[in-house]
Amino acid sequence: MASEHENMLMSMSPSVLHPRDMTEAWTFKKLLDSDAVYVAGGTLLRTQWESGQAAMPKHLIDLSSIPGLKGIEKEEHSLAIGALTPLSECRKDEHIRLHCPMLVDAIRSIAAISVRNVATIGGNIVSRVGDCLPVFIVCQADFEWNTGLSPMTEDASEWTERLQAQLPKASHLLTRIHLPLFKTTEIVPRRFGAFHKVGRREAFTPSLITVALNGGLKADGTVGEIRVAAGGGQTIPHRLFAAEKLMKGQQINRELLAAVHQTIVDGYKPKPDPFATEAYRKKTAANLIVAELWKIAAGPSDEGRERDDP
Amino acid sequence: MIHKILAERRTEMDLECEINGEPISLDVPPTRRLLSILRDDLQLTGTKVSCEIGRCGACMVLVDGQQVNSCLTMAYQCDGKSITTIEGLGSSEVDPIQQCFLEEGGYQCGYCTPGMIISVKALLTHNPEPSAEDIEEAMSGNLCRCTGYGGIIRSVQKAVSLRRNTQ
Ligand SMILES: Cc1cc2nc3c(=O)[nH]c(=O)nc-3n(C[C@H](O)[C@H](O)[C@H](O)COP(=O)(O)OP(=O)(O)OC[C@H]3O[C@@H](n4cnc5c(N)ncnc54)[C@H](O)[C@@H]3O)c2cc1C
Ligand code: FES
Ligand code: FES
């Protein structure tokens, strides 16, 4: 039975709760269940409420009140990015610019500065269709969650694979993203990486297709390692395993690229909408990835940088 | 016990912040949009309203010096913050950015102009020497149905050189 306090809370809708730590946030969510949502920047939620896609719940759990969830730190082998870090801060961060320029490209393509000043990297991930996700998938990022019991860490690619079949647990709280620092090695002396987004306009546009790739070439020019992912629109991004398998250990040449193109068209599963058909999305994703691979084969990479001053 | 903590962690119906340099205390629900607070509660109608979903930039204001869409911002997100609207920019005399928009034909109907000027203010505060690309990025959240943007870009470039020459 609901207590007097709870009745009072329910009658004053919507209320905003400011947990002091992650355990409190998780406990509030467990207790209030579907009557409450976690709010980070609130930019996506606000559009969902305004468009009628989702009803405003009785309670908002304000994650920005929890200390320690913001900021970017360089660790020995990775960058640790707090889930509540605004996209603008990630966009400007020296470490991210240096070690993962394709994440900067992805963030630059999201909304406009005014939205990015409030929108968080965690909100982008948990939305399941955020434009940053393909980058985290190909960079083998780990997502750290507070699940109420003990912290849980999951590879970005495994998380998105699981999402194809089931919704994420609403009480799980994303706390940190661990982004590995890739270094050239003797075995893989040349690294490459890129992100591309195609929308209906050049700037400030929702995505139709997003692609990301990350890998390295061996000294003999064969592909040492590679990860490729595609998403965009309402498609939950996913890895293109068959295309990756085809490329491993091979020289990038015309024949290989033709086969990779066909494999992507066959393997990428986009969600169509009234603006773009499934066939268009498949072909565009394949074109973007193959064009990038062609550039990689042709000469030294700028790691997928499009246009950005250091 | 947990219900006591829940009640303690709830925002009360008041907002304490600074608007255009004035400390202000308002009795508003914590999820009320800043846009409604400014226009409907405080009659600061220089901040315009159009799409109401963060896409046009007409409602742009500065929160602690950063441009944000007031239609996406809730009252509790402004608590303890300093908010600047277009009324706060040219309160004593015309702001140099406003002057540049006047001189370079940076507006026609003028509806997008307050939002545009707020975005330029944020840009020049954080990046006094923006490249053409920086200007494009900073202004990409502000839509204009009239000018074709030529006059707006000229106004921003003039504001950049004016600032350079007066410092
Ligand atoms: C005008 C406009 C343009 C946009 N353009 C783009 C675009 O081009 N590309 C793009 O990817 N997105 C876009 N978005 C969507 C959105 O702004 C981003 O996805 C943003 O990063 C969401 O972050 P947020 O902090 O505002 O999330 P919120 O709105 O606060 O939350 C989003 C969801 O994530 C959950 N959540 C948030 N943080 C956590 C956490 N730490 N743990 C668990 N759950 C959490 C919330 O409960 C909610 O379900 C746009 C939005 C607007 C308004
Ligand atoms: S009214 Fe806020 S962005 Fe359009
Ligand atoms: S001047 Fe009319 S909308 Fe910009």
Side-chain angles (χ1 to χ4, degrees):
Chain A
M1 217 173 85
S3 73
E4 221 176 280
H5 276 300
E6 200 174 5
N7 285 336
M8 184 191 70
L9 283 171
M10 297 296 182
S11 66
M12 310 261 303
S13 71
S15 76
V16 182
L17 300 161
H18 306 278
R20 297 231 173 118
D21 55 40
M22 288 184 274
T23 309
E24 266 191 18
W26 182 86
T27 312
F28 292 172
K29 178 65 187 148
K30 276 306 241 194
L31 191 75
L32 300 167
D33 199 17
S34 57
D35 280 338
V37 288
Y38 291 136
V39 184
T43 59
L44 180 65
L45 285 168
R46 174 56 70 182
T47 22
Q48 292 174 344
W49 299 331
E50 294 290 332
S51 67
Q53 247 177 295
M56 204 171 189
K58 288 185 178 149
H59 311 283
L60 308 185
I61 303 171
D62 167 30
L63 300 179
S64 70
S65 62
I66 304 174
L69 291 182
K70 255 185 213 168
I72 299 148
E73 272 172 40
K74 185 165 179 278
E75 297 177 339
E76 200 182 340
H77 301 294
S78 65
L79 296 181
I81 309 172
L84 269 280
T85 311
L87 292 173
S88 294
E89 206 176 311
C90 299
R91 153 92 178 81
K92 286 185 264 179
D93 183 75
E94 287 304 315
H95 297 304
I96 297 182
R97 289 165 74 98
L98 181 68
H99 296 285
C100 195
M102 72 169 126
L103 180 57
V104 176
D105 289 336
I107 292 172
R108 255 165 41 113
S109 81
I110 294 173
I113 291 182
S114 53
V115 178
R116 300 199 295 262
N117 281 339
V118 182
T120 64
I121 192 99
N124 197 262
I125 291 168
V126 184
S127 75
R128 296 179 290 147
V129 289
D131 289 339
C132 287
L133 266 171
V135 172
F136 289 129
I137 293 173
V138 299
C139 290
Q140 302 174 42
D142 278 332
F143 296 155
E144 194 181 312
W145 302 87
N146 184 306
T147 63
L149 304 163
S150 52
M152 180 186 83
T153 301
E154 192 171 16
D155 174 75
S157 155
E158 281 165 24
W159 183 69
T160 50
E161 283 309 315
R162 207 157 43 75
L163 289 183
Q164 313 289 342
Q166 69 185 95
L167 282 171
K169 265 235 182 310
S171 60
H172 284 190
L173 185 63
L174 181 65
T175 55
R176 211 161 271 114
I177 300 114
H178 297 277
L179 188 62
L181 304 174
F182 288 93
K183 290 197 178 86
T184 52
T185 59
E186 264 180 40
I187 302 168
V188 182
R190 208 180 120 202
R191 295 214 58 87
F192 56 83
F195 168 86
H196 291 287
K197 166 169 164 175
V198 169
R200 295 197 300 280
R201 288 192 302 267
E202 197 181 327
F204 194 21
T205 180
S207 56
L208 291 175
I209 298 107
T210 50
V211 300
L213 54 157
N214 181 32
L217 293 183
K218 291 187 177 172
D220 63 2
T222 58
V223 177
E225 52 183 80
I226 185 149
R227 270 198 181 201
V228 188
Q234 288 308 303
T235 307
I236 298 172
H238 53 93
R239 253 175 97 179
L240 302 170
F241 289 105
E244 291 174 9
K245 199 168 161 206
L246 210 58
M247 285 184 270
K248 277 266 291 303
Q250 302 297 315
Q251 291 279 352
I252 300 177
N253 56 33
R254 195 176 284 270
E255 290 70 37
L256 179 74
L257 291 182
V260 168
H261 193 280
Q262 190 55 50
T263 309
I264 295 169
V265 169
D266 295 340
Y268 174 46
K269 295 185 185 65
K271 259 197 189 168
D273 64 21
F275 297 108
T277 61
E278 191 181 351
Y280 169 81
R281 287 167 198 263
K282 280 169 172 272
K283 193 171 173 186
T284 307
N287 288 351
L288 289 169
I289 293 166
V290 164
E292 195 57 44
L293 289 165
W294 185 253
K295 278 194 264 171
I296 291 160
S301 161
D302 58 357
E303 291 201 310
R305 224 50 223 275
E306 285 188 317
R307 300 162 285 141
D308 198 45
D309 302 325
Chain B
M1 176 63 184
I2 184 66
H3 297 298
K4 187 163 170 275
I5 299 175
L6 265 174
E8 280 171 12
R9 301 289 186 266
R10 231 189 73 217
T11 304
E12 295 307 321
M13 298 269 289
D14 67 350
L15 163 68
E16 308 254 348
C17 63
E18 208 181 84
I19 297 183
N20 298 331
E22 296 285 328
I24 202 154
S25 177
L26 288 169
D27 194 11
V28 289
T31 53
R32 189 161 171 78
R33 293 180 311 171
L34 177 59
L35 176 65
S36 313
I37 296 174
L38 294 173
R39 287 182 58 87
D40 303 336
D41 302 347
L42 300 171
Q43 278 73 53
L44 290 170
T45 53
T47 300
K48 299 301 175 204
V49 53
S50 181
C51 73
E52 301 186 60
I53 51 164
R55 296 222 162 258
C56 72
C59 67
M60 204 71 82
V61 298
L62 300 175
V63 174
D64 284 348
Q66 291 204 313
Q67 75 219 72
V68 304
N69 308 85
S70 60
C71 67
L72 295 178
T73 311
M74 292 179 264
Y76 80 86
Q77 295 174 306
C78 302
D79 206 46
K81 306 268 170 77
S82 167
I83 291 144
T84 308
T85 69
I86 191 70
E87 288 89 348
L89 279 197
S91 50
S92 47
E93 54 182 17
V94 174
D95 188 277
I97 299 169
Q98 291 172 314
Q99 189 62 37
C100 292
F101 270 71
L102 284 166
E103 288 170 12
E104 290 298 324
Y107 62 92
Q108 284 178 23
C109 81
Y111 200 78
C112 67
T113 316
M116 291 279 176
I117 287 172
I118 290 285
S119 289
V120 181
K121 184 78 183 172
L123 169 69
L124 298 190
T125 305
H126 299 111
N127 181 2
E129 288 292 337
S131 64
E133 213 176 86
D134 294 334
I135 296 175
E136 234 172 67
E137 186 174 347
M139 306 303 290
S140 71
N142 293 84
L143 304 187
C144 174
R145 303 302 301 266
C146 305
T147 63
Y149 300 100
I152 293 172
I153 299 293
R154 273 200 314 278
S155 309
V156 182
Q157 285 164 342
K158 184 159 190 174
V160 173
S161 53
L162 187 71
R163 200 184 156 108
R164 188 186 304 133
N165 296 336
T166 51
Q167 274 178 0

